[in-house]
Amino acid sequence: MTAAFKADPAFETGSVIACDWPLCQVRLQDDARYPWLILIPRRAGLHEIEDLTPAERAALMHEVVRAGELVRELGQAAGRPVQKLNVAALGNVTAQLHVHVVGRRHDDDQWPDPVWGRGAAVPWGANGLQAAVSRIRLSSGG
């Protein structure tokens, strides 16, 4: 997309790049408690959804829905089918525009509270992370 795009370094500490879609970089949150993707539009200087063009906003919504489908796949593969999708563009810690798509269950450790900043992340582990990223890439056609 834009040569000037660079994901905020804060994303490096808690997530890994899974693939790129037409608009967004797709990252897997390294927290096995939840199937959790982060979409970062690959445009420099974005902070709010309103910073996108109308066509980019439509593309973002399409990719959010697609991410929700993948989050459900990840939950199913882990034996914990998703009961509710949480979608949010918070940006309180990292101002760069990004959208979280998180699979939730009524029996998860934070239900019904939000997951952001709650409890210690449980890393996927090398094999789990590789398997989840592979699943995302396969489902994304790459």
Side-chain angles (χ1 to χ4, degrees):
M1 288 265 132
T2 301
F5 167 78
K6 183 167 174 42
D8 188 292
F11 291 109
E12 298 297 324
T13 61
S15 65
V16 297
I17 297 171
C19 63
D20 285 329
W21 285 346
L23 178 65
C24 294
Q25 178 181 92
V26 180
R27 300 186 70 92
L28 174 66
Q29 185 73 12
D30 191 9
D31 189 344
R33 296 176 300 164
Y34 316 101
W36 183 341
L37 297 179
I38 301 170
L39 304 177
I40 308 172
R42 292 180 291 130
R43 303 282 192 273
L46 299 179
H47 292 98
E48 305 293 344
I49 291 172
E50 66 194 31
D51 297 336
L52 296 167
T53 67
E56 290 168 336
R57 289 179 209 149
L60 178 61
M61 185 55 64
H62 174 77
E63 292 183 8
V64 165
V65 171
R66 187 175 176 194
E69 293 167 352
L70 267 173
V71 162
R72 289 185 187 283
E73 271 187 48
L74 292 170
Q76 192 69 36
R80 295 186 318 272
V82 170
Q83 296 172 314
K84 179 70 179 109
L85 287 174
N86 287 179
V87 177
L90 300 173
N92 295 342
V93 174
T94 306
Q96 182 176 27
L97 178 60
H98 62 287
V99 178
H100 296 269
V101 182
V102 186
R104 301 294 306 274
R105 292 179 49 84
H106 296 115
D107 62 356
D108 74 39
D109 64 342
Q110 297 300 324
W111 187 267
D113 295 331
V115 298
W116 294 273
R118 304 280 179 110
V122 176
W124 284 86
N127 291 340
L129 197 61
Q130 182 178 359
V133 168
S134 292
R135 179 175 295 279
I136 293 164
R137 289 180 181 159
L138 277 172
S139 293
S140 297

